[in-house]
Amino acid sequence: MSPLTQTLLMILAAYLAGSISSAVLVCRMRGLPDPRLQGSGNPGATNVLRIGGASSAAMVLFFDMLKGAVPSYLAYLMGIDAVSLGLIAIAACLGHIYPVFFGFKGGKGVATAFGAMAPIGDDLAICLMASWVVLLLISRYSSLAAILTALLAPLYTWWLDDRFTIPVAMLSTLIIIRHKDNIQRLLKGEESKVSRKKRPKKS
């Protein structure tokens, strides 16, 4: 099989993997409202946190990252070049954003993008997660934490393993473009802060 054929097949496989909506499936499994119709309307971990609590959000985050990590890591093991790895990772994110199995209405692609970056190394994965958590705790804005972490990701990659700076920069650009509306709301002071679903008090 030629390198081009391998790359095209992996791009298709990554898109199909990304099209599996973890948020919708976890909410169905747990008897929660459809995240596309509740809260922010975004089928991602942050919105599931709002409507279903931390454990459901953690499941969504894990599976969203996994569907970015698996295609990227498999492509790396196949010896596919760095730029093509970036295209494969972007395909997984586009699957999450425009899922063929869920009416092409998906999430922002942040967890899937970070998952695709994670196989580059444990040190990069730790830097990304630590940056996102710290920025979220400071700002209380999930979107701002994602945008700033995306801006930092190519710098971390250049410092830790510069072979993958270009594909990571490609993913970061996609994340920032996807947050265009959030950036406008942040500038206007209209963006919603993260809050957990409160459990009803027992009488």
Side-chain angles (χ1 to χ4, degrees), residues 167-186:
V168 168
M170 293 163 67
L171 284 169
S172 294
T173 301
L174 177 64
I175 292 173
I176 293 167
I177 291 172
R178 185 61 176 155
H179 282 79
K180 172 175 60 70
D181 293 338
N182 302 84
I183 292 170
Q184 292 176 352
R185 288 195 295 270
L186 285 165

Side-chain angles (χ1 to χ4, degrees), residues 72-195:
S72 299
Y73 188 59
L74 287 176
Y76 169 75
L77 292 178
M78 293 166 65
I80 291 175
D81 65 274
V83 173
S84 296
L85 286 175
L87 295 175
I88 290 163
I90 285 174
C93 294
L94 289 176
H96 180 84
I97 296 168
Y98 304 108
V100 67
F101 306 126
F102 294 87
F104 299 98
K105 296 179 181 178
K108 300 290 185 182
V110 176
T112 304
F114 288 168
M117 297 177 194
I120 292 173
D122 294 341
D123 42 8
L124 177 61
I126 291 169
C127 286
L128 293 174
M129 292 304 297
S131 296
W132 185 82
V133 169
V134 169
L135 290 166
L136 178 64
L137 291 175
I138 292 172
S139 69
R140 305 300 297 173
Y141 290 110
S142 176
S143 57
L144 181 60
I147 292 164
L148 293 177
T149 303
L151 289 171
L152 290 169
L155 297 177
Y156 290 147
T157 309
W158 173 77
W159 175 45
L160 296 167
D161 192 339
D162 61 4
R163 294 176 299 162
F164 300 104
T165 303
I166 291 176
V168 168
M170 293 163 67
L171 284 169
S172 294
T173 301
L174 177 64
I175 292 173
I176 293 167
I177 291 172
R178 185 61 176 155
H179 282 79
K180 172 175 60 70
D181 293 338
N182 302 84
I183 292 170
Q184 292 176 352
R185 288 195 295 270
L186 285 165
L187 292 173
K188 294 177 182 177
E190 298 173 354
E191 182 76 335
S192 299
K193 292 189 175 183
V194 174
S195 60

